Amino acid sequence: PNLVLDFADNNTNWEYTLQANIVMFAPSNSESGQEGSILISQDPISPYVVTWDAVWKWDANTVVPVTPVAGATDLFQFTVISPTYIVITGVTQNIG
């Protein structure tokens, strides 16, 4: 499955529970200067993988994978530089 978040009306804080491996695509309606977070929880029984579209930019180009443990929760914080350039500014893992 593919996940496309909608940042319309500055709706930039999201929670999502994985039920399969997903691709996190570029969000729709993103605008320069928006900031937010994505709280991703693993399925309570089986962990899954998130693949990030190229618009999501990581420190040293090193993607931080979601915690591969059933029931784990990770927080990804970001800033939109442009609709095609979104910087992951912080990752807090296994908080759930």
Side-chain angles (χ1 to χ4, degrees), residues 43-54:
D43 178 86
I45 297 171
S46 180
Y48 295 103
V49 174
V50 176
T51 302
W52 298 81
D53 184 272

Side-chain angles (χ1 to χ4, degrees), residues 57-63:
K57 307 300 181 185
W58 301 82
D59 187 37
N61 291 319
T62 304
V63 175

Side-chain angles (χ1 to χ4, degrees), residues 1-89:
N2 301 326
L3 183 60
V4 179
L5 305 176
D6 185 353
F7 287 3
D9 299 321
N10 214 29
N11 186 19
T12 57
N13 294 301
W14 290 85
E15 293 182 30
Y16 187 80
T17 299
L18 297 173
Q19 298 173 336
N21 294 332
I22 66 163
V23 176
M24 180 74 70
F25 278 101
S28 61
N29 300 304
S30 62
E31 297 179 19
S32 178
Q34 288 178 314
E35 296 179 332
S37 62
I38 306 167
L39 191 68
I40 299 177
S41 297
Q42 287 282 9
D43 178 86
I45 297 171
S46 180
Y48 295 103
V49 174
V50 176
T51 302
W52 298 81
D53 184 272
V55 303
W56 301 95
K57 307 300 181 185
W58 301 82
D59 187 37
N61 291 319
T62 304
V63 175
V64 177
V66 294
T67 301
V69 175
T73 299
D74 298 335
L75 178 67
F76 296 86
Q77 296 168 292
F78 61 85
T79 299
V80 177
I81 305 303
S82 77
T84 59
Y85 200 98
I86 302 171
V87 177
I88 299 293
T89 57

